[in-house]
Amino acid sequence: MADAPRYKRDVSPEALARARELRRNQTLMEKRLWALLRRDWQGFHWRRQEPIAGYFADFLSYELMLIVELDGTSHLGREEYDELRDTVLRSEGFVVVRVTNL
């Protein structure tokens, strides 16, 4: 399992506040996926809108080292940014899966 506390030490109070805001304002698809994952789906613990490496992962499992991103209309035209973001997250050891929900 990855060392989750290592990431927590690097998170600013502003990033934590932003993560809370993102959790409060989830999209419908994020709410639906969270309803499935929140009960430790398949025995793995999941976090939502988790601050990591300067970004916010939609859904993250440290045990699996897996990030699931739901891409809606806000990602249209941001392919280059998303690819850079994925590269950074992969360099941290995560597998990044993007799901389009348009």
Side-chain angles (χ1 to χ4, degrees):
M1 183 171 120
D3 185 14
R6 173 174 71 98
Y7 295 107
K8 289 295 185 186
R9 287 192 301 266
D10 297 336
V11 179
S12 71
E14 295 82 9
L16 290 174
R18 177 70 176 136
R20 283 187 204 99
E21 179 184 330
L22 290 169
R23 288 182 204 118
R24 280 192 303 268
N25 297 308
Q26 294 180 93
T27 67
L28 177 59
M29 293 308 293
E30 287 172 337
K31 287 178 185 176
R32 289 180 177 174
L33 183 54
W34 182 238
L36 295 172
L37 297 177
R38 70 183 296 176
R39 303 270 187 245
D40 294 340
W41 178 77
Q42 299 293 315
F44 297 104
H45 181 75
W46 289 85
R47 297 172 181 269
R48 63 188 166 129
Q49 299 303 336
E50 179 74 358
I52 181 122
Y55 299 99
F56 295 93
D58 286 347
F59 301 95
L60 178 147
S61 169
Y62 285 108
E63 293 97 338
L64 296 171
M65 291 301 288
L66 176 64
I67 293 173
V68 177
E69 289 294 318
L70 293 181
D71 291 350
T73 55
S74 67
H75 288 265
L76 294 175
R78 290 182 27 169
E79 294 80 9
E80 197 172 302
Y81 172 83
D82 286 343
E83 185 56 42
L84 172 63
R85 180 181 184 281
D86 291 354
T87 299
V88 170
L89 294 171
R90 285 186 193 111
S91 75
E92 294 286 329
F94 290 92
V95 172
V96 179
V97 176
R98 290 192 165 276
V99 179
T100 301
N101 64 352
L102 297 175

